[in-house]
Amino acid sequence: MSIPRDLPAIQPRLVAVSKTKPADMVIEAYSHGQRSFGENYVQELLEKASNPKILSSCPEIKWHFIGHLQKQNVNKLMAVPNLFMLETVDSMKLADKVNSSWQKKASSERLKVMVQINTSGEESKHGLLPSETVAMVEHINTKCPSLEFVGLMTIGSFGHDLSQGPNPDFQMLLSLREELCKKLNITADQVELSMGMSMDFQHAIEVGSTNVRIGSTIFGERDYSKKPALDKSAADLKGPMEVTQAH
Ligand SMILES: *Cc1c(COP(=O)(O)O)cnc(C)c1O
């Protein structure tokens, strides 16, 4: 696979998405050299990252939070050991809350954050409107000194037919990065792009993804049957409750 010549030659990071999978699978992947792991529920991430076996066997593990983050869960997320990146900042209020919560930890490093964009415009997906991207990043850069803006993240619509051309949601994220770089006078290699999952990571890398989030292709299909609360719609998408509470 090759990365387009006009884009920064960044080796994409593989985030192994271990949601619903046991700690032993994380440890096994780690023992084969995998370092970055992703989870989308705060409680599940906190439990897994605090697991004594993971703590002792995986000292260099880097956890990415990739799920929707509600303000009441921010403090809990900030308590996660080896939290490396929050990929899903989707409002200024959330950024402010994360900023002040991380500040209280008095960590020597800023918390890396990505801004999540709803590129597909689907009501069921989280993220900012594309038009809100620049203001959001400026807000982080000027008002959130404990946060380090590192990139843009999107899920995009599923099942895009590549015979119709490149995935427009990924193209949207690329063009938002261009706009951001012009407005903020920064270079493309300062803005990561988190896009691509099991179904579409190859295409995502071909068009310039720097961070792919892959779960089922690595760990096998997820079994939600034992945990009815963690069904697919609640895991990746807005549940009906949140949609009705939105305004
Ligand atoms: C679950 C999840 C993934 C991984 O999905 P797979 O299709 O299993 O690769 C990637 N990104 C997000 C935001 C997820 O919730």
Side-chain angles (χ1 to χ4, degrees):
M1 241 177 285
S2 63
I3 295 165
R5 277 158 178 267
D6 55 330
L7 295 175
I10 297 169
Q11 175 79 13
R13 179 193 298 113
L14 169 60
V15 177
V17 178
S18 52
K19 63 193 188 198
T20 76
K21 302 295 180 184
D24 287 344
M25 287 180 101
V26 172
I27 294 169
E28 193 184 345
Y30 185 97
S31 75
H32 288 95
Q34 181 63 28
R35 291 293 176 269
S36 303
F37 292 84
E39 288 282 339
N40 70 337
Y41 278 101
V42 176
Q43 182 60 32
E44 186 179 356
L45 172 56
L46 182 59
E47 281 170 24
K48 234 173 259 182
S50 310
N51 178 301
K53 278 203 287 184
I54 290 192
L55 282 173
S56 62
S57 331
C58 313
E60 292 170 21
I61 198 164
K62 294 176 166 135
W63 288 107
H64 289 229
F65 187 73
I66 61 172
H68 179 58
L69 180 57
Q70 289 175 317
K71 276 183 229 72
Q72 72 261 25
N73 286 329
V74 167
N75 286 332
K76 200 185 239 187
L77 179 68
M78 301 296 102
V80 167
N82 302 307
L83 179 68
F84 181 74
M85 192 185 289
L86 165 59
E87 295 198 14
T88 49
V89 171
D90 63 0
S91 75
M92 294 190 189
K93 278 186 182 159
L94 180 66
D96 292 342
K97 175 92 184 104
V98 173
N99 179 61
S100 63
S101 182
W102 190 257
Q103 219 153 30
K104 286 192 202 104
K105 280 184 55 136
S107 165
S108 57
E109 280 174 48
R110 291 181 293 165
L111 178 65
K112 294 183 193 338
V113 298
M114 288 189 181
V115 168
Q116 181 177 1
I117 311 294
N118 185 351
T119 50
S120 56
E122 291 163 285
E123 172 70 17
S124 60
K125 301 269 164 65
H126 286 285
L128 289 169
L129 293 172
S131 59
E132 297 170 318
T133 309
V134 174
M136 181 71 230
V137 175
E138 277 178 330
H139 180 85
I140 293 173
N141 286 345
T142 58
K143 302 276 176 19
C144 302
S146 312
L147 306 185
E148 177 186 4
F149 168 75
V150 296
L152 304 175
M153 178 271 203
T154 197
I155 296 177
S157 60
F158 297 131
H160 172 73
D161 175 5
L162 283 177
S163 70
Q164 306 296 309
N167 186 329
D169 298 331
F170 297 167
Q171 295 303 311
M172 165 90 70
L173 210 63
L174 283 152
S175 69
L176 287 173
R177 175 169 68 180
E178 252 181 62
E179 184 191 346
L180 196 60
C181 287
K182 274 192 205 123
K183 296 244 166 82
L184 272 56
N185 199 21
I186 54 178
T187 54
D189 59 3
Q190 293 171 288
V191 185
E192 291 189 36
L193 298 180
S194 174
M195 55 192 199
M197 304 170 44
S198 287
M199 287 176 302
D200 52 18
F201 72 91
Q202 284 158 315
H203 172 63
I205 291 171
E206 278 165 5
V207 298
S209 173
T210 68
N211 187 91
V212 290
R213 312 175 307 265
I214 304 181
S216 42
T217 294
I218 298 174
F219 296 111
E221 289 300 319
R222 286 178 291 276
D223 179 6
Y224 289 102
S225 62
K226 292 181 216 102
K227 288 185 183 170
L230 303 186
D231 69 318
K232 181 86 179 156
S233 62
D236 300 329
L237 314 168
K238 284 182 193 170
M241 288 283 287
E242 274 183 81
V243 174
T244 48
Q245 284 168 1
H247 294 282

